[in-house]
Amino acid sequence: MSYTHVLAAVDLSDEARAVLKEARQIADDHGAKLSLISVVKPLTQVYGGLDMAAYTQASVNFEREAQAQAVEQLKKLGADFKVGAKDVHAVIGAPAPQIVDTAKDLGADLIVVGSHGKHGLGLLLGSTANGVLHHAQCDVLTVRIKS
Ligand code: AMP
């Protein structure tokens, strides 16, 4: 199997570099294009259960500002891994569905996500990695993040 377009999903935390390093390596090995996505969660999702109606405009402004900041951070991160500014995507929404939809829109054939991979009584995958794995229409690679 040879991949043509790899999409690395990063949450802009410290683990982003580990995910991106692996994605870069795979893209290089396959001669594939590499794109980056980070998803900014809407405040209504972060504060689910609270009545946010009074803050609608403020939350729209916050989300747009967070999206703009995410684009800048992604551009910087991408530059360190030879990903051009036009290949970074910061979108607002629920992470797993947005990652899956963006992969489809871009025609990506591999999504790379991080996983804390806890065993025993812990969860094997976090909710984002799990959601992507269950709904993606292409292959998904999880990169074990050592903490
Ligand atoms: P989680 O399943 O939430 O523990 O996250 C595992 C991995 O999913 C992270 O290492 C990222 O690769 C990806 N991920 C989580 N949240 C986001 C996000 N907001 N945007 C893009 N990717 C994310």
Side-chain angles (χ1 to χ4, degrees), residues 8-13 15-16 19 37-41 89 91 93-96 99 112-116 118 125-132 141 143 145:
V10 292
D11 58 6
L12 299 176
S13 69
E15 67 192 45
V19 172
I37 180 168
S38 189
V39 183
V40 174
K41 288 186 200 165
H89 306 271
V91 295
I99 293 165
V112 180
V113 293
S115 153
H116 296 280
K118 295 171 200 146
L125 287 177
S127 60
T128 306
N130 207 27
V132 171
L141 175 82
V143 176
I145 308 291

Side-chain angles (χ1 to χ4, degrees), residues 1-16:
M1 172 89 192
S2 190
Y3 297 113
T4 59
H5 193 164
V6 178
L7 178 65
V10 292
D11 58 6
L12 299 176
S13 69
D14 288 345
E15 67 192 45

Side-chain angles (χ1 to χ4, degrees), residues 8 14 21 29 46 56 67 92 105 109 114 124 138:
D14 288 345
K21 187 171 171 230
D29 288 349
V46 178
T56 304
Q67 184 182 25
I92 299 170
D105 291 348
D109 44 12
L124 184 60
C138 62

